[in-house]
């Protein structure tokens, strides 16, 4: 069974989004000034869809996850926009309302499963807690039946309920967290780097479980992470974040085949493949501090295709076919990013025909060269 | 010639429980030689619990083997004199997984660099120490003026990990044990860290033991590879042979589980068979038998020896039975050809 392609579903036009994020802004008020960690982010998620949210550390992807659950704590604040789950507006709910909406409408699989579970309470009690708070009318035996049901849904034996978190492996702990997230059958689950601490095989198993639950319960999934490989194999839509802004969003196959933002292009090519040995293409530099953002386009300090206009003007969002949107000035010049990448490859090939293939990989004045 | 560091038939057994101890074999009769004359990058891959970190700890002398011996420059580790131990500490350096836990948050990052300089007397005065620190940082692609005097929380994970690489380099070691150095760093920054480790190897002739669960980075960085499962070697050899033509079902499973950044490839064609616990680490049969899609009755009885698939690759699996058998001690010979 594949975790990937089988779950990808086309969405009929006219369907109402299950999660709709409109112009969401999140600010952190620090001593050094106001920091906008999430800057006018807009996207829709339809029932049963899988959306990937990628970006490096500090790009604001986890802030979005917290904002969707309305769990941003001071000094942070949602300063604009709204989050709709179906017909419920999460941003205007009172504290009591949001408390009942969390887990019921929108569930979350946290990043560090080890620290998400209470180490001194048995798994049974941790699942029971969620059920009792949200569905106080359940009888004891109904609650117990539900616990077994959710554990089985995540492929854990029912005896696991009687264990403590330290008795479980990393993958099992992550499964318990998934069980808690889906216990109330929410419409949306946010999975914040659910497999970052797991090895490849366990990662695959956990993602297969999330994929199966997503299909069976028709839950929409927001997968947050920085691994483009995982995204290629799991999600059907991809949003790329950079410095709090959406750099590009669109269907995964389109984004991989023809990215329209240099950052997406570099994220994809930074991953090692089994091609040319010893060629690593990192993205040079680090994400800019949100306190001292460059003028114009935030990515220009690391962009190999930077132009004059990039420093004076922030790019606007340009829509392409099939719901593909990118914010880059290259979109307005003929040939766009693809043209630039190809021209560069040709130039490299001319310079050194013998190494043409290798050179294409190392293209770009700012790239760290390959080593071999 | 005596090897710089050698593990000879090392096993590490952990017991838990007092009256009827539960025995876990973390490393089972493992041998590995690291030569000084011929520096290599050896990748050790396997999933969690395969014993790869136990192997790292043994090499760094943090733990001793339950049976077998560890030799440093031909001398048993347990018999080293104080001075030799000091030399060992300088020769063998570590890079750990977590760049967040490696720092004391109350000190500036200078601390991790000044301590080894002071302890090993690498500099005569403060200026020289500062110069050395700057040089080491520049080698890993960092600008000293941006790094020195800062606190760990002010730096990114990638920068912190590169400082750890710089520290390892400062002591001019002979061997670096890198235990999952990039698993907690953003995918886009992994390349730069691996590159600095690779530069160390190239320029200073340092041997590197690269412990990881990620076969793609292992493929790019290393010359030779050892695939571990539950403490036993499943497959070993030259890295592109093993990664491109994996012979052992476990290596195939590992490679099949990598999420490739290519939408047209299907992830996970081979199903993952769950471990039903029928092959404990103490079994006499093949340890992978309970999860192997090609399991045969004899796999559960006697563990297969190595079969020399080609001159640079050996697999411990009956599927390769048609190839010539290889004694366990000869694995090093196959690795050395890589």
């Amino acid at each position: 069974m594949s975790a990937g392609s089988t779950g990808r579903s086309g969405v009929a036009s006219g369907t109402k989004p299950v999660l709709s994020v409109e112009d969401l802004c999140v600010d952190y008020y620090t001593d050094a000034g106001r920091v906008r960690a999430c800057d006018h982010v807009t996207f829709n998620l339809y029932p049963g869809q899988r959306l990937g949210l990628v970006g490096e550390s500090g790009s604001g992807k986890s802030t979005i996850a917290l904002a969707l659950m309305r769990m941003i704590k001071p000094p942070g604040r949602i300063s604009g926009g709204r989050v709709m789950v179906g017909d419920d507006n999460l941003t205007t709910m009172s504290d009591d309302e949001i408390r009942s909406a969390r887990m019921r409408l929108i569930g979350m699989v946290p990043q560090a499963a080890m620290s998400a579970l209470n180490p001194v309470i048995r798994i049974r009690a941790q699942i029971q807690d969620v059920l009792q708070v949200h569905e106080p009318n359940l009888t004891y035996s109904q609650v117990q039946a539900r616990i077994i049901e959710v554990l089985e849904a995540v492929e854990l034996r029912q005896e696991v309920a009687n264990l403590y978190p330290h008795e479980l492996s990393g993958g099992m702990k992550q499964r318990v967290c998934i069980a808690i997230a889906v216990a109330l059958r929410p419409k949306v689950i946010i999975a914040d780097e659910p497999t970052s601490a797991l090895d490849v095989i366990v990662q695959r198993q956990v993602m297969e479980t999330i994929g199966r639950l997503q299909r069976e319960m028709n839950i929409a999934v927001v997968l947050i992470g920085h691994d483009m490989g995982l995204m290629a194999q799991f999600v059907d839509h991809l949003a790329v974040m950079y410095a709090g802004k959406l750099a590009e969003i669109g269907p995964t196959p389109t984004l991989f085949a023809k990215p329209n933002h240099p950052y997406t292009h570099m994220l994809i090519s930074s991953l090692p493949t089994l091609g040319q040995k010893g060629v690593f293409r990192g993205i040079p530099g680090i994400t800019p501090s949100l306190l001292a953002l460059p003028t114009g386009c935030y990515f220009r300090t690391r962009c190999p295709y930077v132009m004059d206009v990039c420093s004076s003007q922030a790019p606007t969002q340009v829509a392409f076919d099939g719901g593909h949107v990118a914010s880059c000035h290259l979109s307005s010049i003929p040939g766009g990013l693809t043209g630039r990448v190809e021209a560069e490859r040709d130039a490299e090939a001319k310079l050194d025909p013998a190494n043409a293939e290798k050179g294409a990989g190392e293209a770009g004045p700012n790239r760290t060269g390959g080593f071999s | 010639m005596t090897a710089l560091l050698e593990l000879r038939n090392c096993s590490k057994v952990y017991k838990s429980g007092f009256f009827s101890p539960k025995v876990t074999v973390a490393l089972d009769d493992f041998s590995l030689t690291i030569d000084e004359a011929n520096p290599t990058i050896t990748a050790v891959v396997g999933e969690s619990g395969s014993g790869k970190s136990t192997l790292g700890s043994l090499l760094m002398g943090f733990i001793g083997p339950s049976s077998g011996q560890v030799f440093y420059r031909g001398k048993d580790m347990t018999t080293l004199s104080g001075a030799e131990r000091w030399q060992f500490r300088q020769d063998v350096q570590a890079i750990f997984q977590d760049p967040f836990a490696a720092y004391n948050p109350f000190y500036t990052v200078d601390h991790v660099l000044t301590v080894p300089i002071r302890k090993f007397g690498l500099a005569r005065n403060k200026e020289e120490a500062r110069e050395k620190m700057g040089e080491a940082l520049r080698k890993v692609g960092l600008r000293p003026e941006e790094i020195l005097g800062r606190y760990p929380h002010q730096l990114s994970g990638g920068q912190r990990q590169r400082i750890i690489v710089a520290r390892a380099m400062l002591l001019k070691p002979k061997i670096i044990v890198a235990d999952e150095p990039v698993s907690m760093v953003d995918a886009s920054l992994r390349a730069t860290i691996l590159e600095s480790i690779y530069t160390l190897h190239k320029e200073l002739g340092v041997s590197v033991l690269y412990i990881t669960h990620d076969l793609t980075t292992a493929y790019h960085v290393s010359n030779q590879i050892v695939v571990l499962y539950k403490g036993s070697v499943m497959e070993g050899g030259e890295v592109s042979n093993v990664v491109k033509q994996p012979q052992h079902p476990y290596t195939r499973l590992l490679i099949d589980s990598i999420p490739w950044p290519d939408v047209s490839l299907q992830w996970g064609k081979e199903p993952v068979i769950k471990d039903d616990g029928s092959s404990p680490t103490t079994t006499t049969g093949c340890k992978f038998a309970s999860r192997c899609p090609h399991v045969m009755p004899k796999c559960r009885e006697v563990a297969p020896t190595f079969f020399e698939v080609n001159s640079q690759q050996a697999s411990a699996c009956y599927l390769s039975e048609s190839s010539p058998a290889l004694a366990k001690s000869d694995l090093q010979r196959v690795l050395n050809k890589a």
Side-chain angles (χ1 to χ4, degrees), chain A residues 118-185:
Chain A
N118 187 332
V120 294
I121 297 179
R122 290 182 202 272
I123 301 301
R124 179 186 303 284
Q126 310 207 25
I127 303 176
Q128 199 168 321
D129 189 33
V130 181
L131 293 168
Q132 280 176 339
V133 167
H134 286 273
E135 297 180 17
N137 299 328
L138 291 179
T139 63
Y140 178 81
S141 55
Q142 279 172 323
V143 168
Q144 298 311 314
R146 283 281 287 278
I147 291 172
I148 292 168
E149 187 189 319
V150 292
L151 283 177
E152 275 168 1
V154 294
E155 293 151 42
L156 288 173
R157 288 171 290 115
Q158 42 173 295
E159 297 88 79
V160 170
N162 297 327
L163 300 177
Y164 287 98
H166 74 264
E167 295 174 278
L168 306 179
S169 70
M172 289 165 88
K173 272 184 257 190
Q174 196 54 271
R175 281 171 195 278
V176 170
C177 289
I178 298 168
I180 293 172
V182 299
L184 299 170
R185 298 190 166 247

Side-chain angles (χ1 to χ4, degrees), chain B residues 2 22 40 99 125 144 150 162 258 278 280:
Chain B
T2 52
K22 189 172 156 266
T40 52
N125 51 46
R150 299 271 210 116
R162 272 189 277 174
I258 300 171
S278 68

Side-chain angles (χ1 to χ4, degrees), chain A residues 1-2 56-57 155 199-200 203-205 226 229 233 256 271-278 280 282-283 369 371, chain B residues 47-48 186-188 191 195 198 213 219-220 222 239 244 256-257 259-263 265-268 270 272 274:
Chain A
M1 191 200 74
S2 155
E56 289 166 276
S57 329
E155 293 151 42
D199 66 55
V200 278
Q203 159 171 295
R204 195 183 121 194
Q205 290 170 314
H226 56 77
Q233 299 297 338
F256 270 82
L271 281 166
T273 58
L274 291 187
Q276 177 82 34
K277 186 178 156 155
F280 268 110
I283 302 182
F371 55 95
Chain B
E47 59 190 325
S48 341
D186 269 5
S188 55
E195 199 181 347
Y198 191 84
H213 63 83
Y219 165 76
H220 283 274
S222 56
V239 71
K244 289 195 168 157
D256 192 46
S257 298
W260 297 106
D262 184 342
V263 222
L265 288 175
Q266 202 201 341
W267 188 26
E270 291 195 34
V272 184
K274 273 206 214 147

